[in-house]
Amino acid sequence: MTTIQSTHDREKLRDLAVEVAAEAGAFAAKGQEGITVLDTKSSPTDVVTEMDRATERLIRDRLLAARPDDAVLGEEDGGVEGTSGVRWVVDPIDGTVNYLYGSPDWGVAIAAEIDGVVVASAVCLPSHHRMFEAVLGGGARLEGRTLRAPDTVPLDRALVATGFGYFPERRLQQAKVLTGVIEHIRDIRRGGSAAVDITGLATGRYNAYYERGLHLWDWAAPGLVASEAGLRVGGARGGPPTNDLVIVARPGLYEELDGLVTPLGADTDG
């Protein structure tokens, strides 16, 4: 098995992710007009469009053409086994409902991981004309410029982004949690795309973020951008990010938000 340890090798993975994400973003943006729902996933409100699957196929084909021995984990079509030790984690269109309704808040997210650790990533937001990229230990960039998240703020001055799940029962619990959060913060935002929200923290669009129900492909690529920009990416009670809960904020604010939302049951369905 080939391992990739050097910064140079990680940068090559990053460069490939950027190249493929840019092509996939342009492809998906061109197809946004007149898109139709193809199917549903976990619930009737969890949609997958024709372009989700077409975009994921394009990404997988480009990655494997460049690196045929790699593995690929995609949101729509599952996994392709590999032998190189590198696995690509792909969300072809993060924010599918936004995409379907013509909203600009959606993106293409591609991450490369080794031994379960994300080492390189790219997040393309076509409608915002933004490309985020990151290398583990090598920093984050936006349109080629070094990216550092703004300084932290106290919890009561924090603009906090979040999202809701697809199942009615989960959304009801998330709404209950929100009622316990809103009085302690500046305000709340619900954008509908983890890729947009998490990368937005690195630019100061928000101060903090939490959400239950995300999958690895939702947070892998934007999470590396955020962490390399100086943000803490984790889960409940200071643990790692999981499907139960993802929290992102500057250190200090992270702990405050974790201490607020976790006792309220943000990592449970009630």
Side-chain angles (χ1 to χ4, degrees), residues 99-254:
Y99 179 85
L100 178 64
Y101 277 78
S103 166
D105 282 353
W106 60 274
V108 177
I110 302 175
E113 66 174 19
I114 300 172
D115 298 329
V117 177
V118 178
V119 300
S121 74
V123 178
C124 177
L125 308 182
S127 299
H128 294 281
H129 307 290
R130 286 185 161 184
M131 176 69 75
F132 295 87
E133 56 189 83
V135 172
L136 182 64
R141 299 191 302 190
L142 170 59
E143 297 300 315
R145 302 184 303 275
T146 299
L147 186 61
R148 292 295 294 175
D151 292 339
T152 192
V153 299
L155 183 64
D156 63 0
R157 286 169 41 204
L159 184 62
V160 179
T162 192
F164 298 127
Y166 294 109
F167 292 105
E169 299 84 359
R170 174 166 293 177
R171 284 187 292 189
L172 180 60
Q173 169 66 5
Q174 289 170 322
K176 291 177 180 177
V177 171
L178 187 56
T179 62
V181 170
I182 195 69
E183 64 178 313
H184 298 286
I185 63 173
R186 182 189 294 275
D187 207 348
I188 201 79
R189 293 291 183 270
R190 199 282 194 196
S193 165
V196 174
D197 289 348
I198 295 173
T199 55
L201 293 171
T203 64
R205 185 178 184 183
Y206 312 111
N207 302 115
Y209 169 87
Y210 75 94
E211 185 169 352
R212 172 167 169 76
L214 297 183
H215 298 281
L216 177 60
W217 48 75
D218 295 310
W219 79 72
L224 183 63
V225 172
S227 63
E228 287 296 318
L231 294 150
R232 180 175 177 182
V233 181
R237 302 168 188 86
T242 69
N243 179 258
D244 289 334
L245 190 64
V246 175
I247 301 173
V248 186
R250 273 285 194 178
L253 179 56
Y254 177 102

